Amino acid sequence: MSWRWVAGLALLGHGFAHTLPGMRAAAGFDLLPTAAWAMALVGFSGAGCGLLGARPFAARWDRWAAAGVCGSAFL
């Protein structure tokens, strides 16, 4: 198993780990936490899919990861 598979699965797992904080943020209808949650979830999921070989995300997986880190740091 290559490092790309391990890192891709780790990024996907981390992205989906943001679902609970995101649901809690969305329950209060707060715009900024909800946007940060969406950014973290989509960013980490896109980066993970890119590392796993999904063509739309593969060329820019690092930018997807950066977006996920920004959203995660805000949360």
Side-chain angles (χ1 to χ4, degrees), residues 14-15 17-18 21 35-41 43-44 65-75:
H14 188 78
H18 281 283
W37 159 70
M39 194 167 153
L41 178 65
F44 283 129
V69 167
C70 289
S72 183
F74 184 81
L75 281 177

Side-chain angles (χ1 to χ4, degrees), residues 20-58:
L20 182 60
M23 287 187 285
R24 287 183 179 163
F29 298 108
D30 293 329
L31 182 62
L32 287 176
T34 304
W37 159 70
M39 194 167 153
L41 178 65
V42 171
F44 283 129
S45 299
C49 288
L51 283 176
L52 292 174
R55 288 186 185 171
F57 304 103

Side-chain angles (χ1 to χ4, degrees), residues 54-71:
R55 288 186 185 171
F57 304 103
R60 304 264 191 246
W61 71 267
D62 53 343
R63 293 182 185 183
W64 286 99
V69 167
C70 289

Side-chain angles (χ1 to χ4, degrees), residues 1-11 47-48 50-53 58 61-62 65:
M1 186 175 290
S2 72
W3 73 269
R4 291 178 71 89
W5 274 90
V6 173
L9 291 174
L11 286 170
L51 283 176
L52 292 174
W61 71 267
D62 53 343

